[in-house]
Amino acid sequence: MTQDMKRAKAAVEGDREDRISDLPRNVIDRILVLLPVQDAARTCVLSKSWRYIWTMLPSLVLDNQFCHELIGKSDLKNIKFLSI
């Protein structure tokens, strides 16, 4: 089946085509960098090709909210975090 036939079939089936995965990798990385780390990590369930994308982001920011939630859920209460 050709790419055009796949797209036509997807349009008939309610336009369920995966347009995000067709974006260039640098665009996907830029989008994920803008998300909180927890939301970026949640993208791993989208497909096998998305499983580890969030772990390879060029800049992964662990913000204060993430760190405080992490501390609240574990025995890491004595760890100090550096604010940048």
Side-chain angles (χ1 to χ4, degrees), residues 13-79:
E13 293 178 354
D15 199 22
R16 291 185 238 162
E17 183 178 357
D18 180 10
R19 295 180 183 167
I20 294 175
S21 292
D22 290 339
L23 291 172
R25 178 60 188 268
N26 65 325
V27 174
I28 292 172
D29 287 348
R30 180 68 180 135
I31 292 168
L32 294 181
V33 164
L34 296 172
L35 294 174
V37 69
Q38 291 166 312
D39 292 335
R42 287 183 181 125
T43 62
C44 70
V45 300
L46 296 176
S47 72
K48 287 181 181 181
S49 64
W50 282 73
R51 179 173 265 170
Y52 300 108
I53 289 179
W54 74 276
T55 64
M56 295 179 271
L57 292 176
S59 59
L60 186 62
V61 178
L62 305 176
D63 60 4
N64 283 337
Q65 179 182 355
F66 174 80
C67 293
H68 290 316
E69 289 177 11
L70 178 67
I71 291 170
K73 294 179 181 178
S74 69
D75 296 330
L76 301 175
K77 304 210 187 275
N78 295 327
I79 293 179

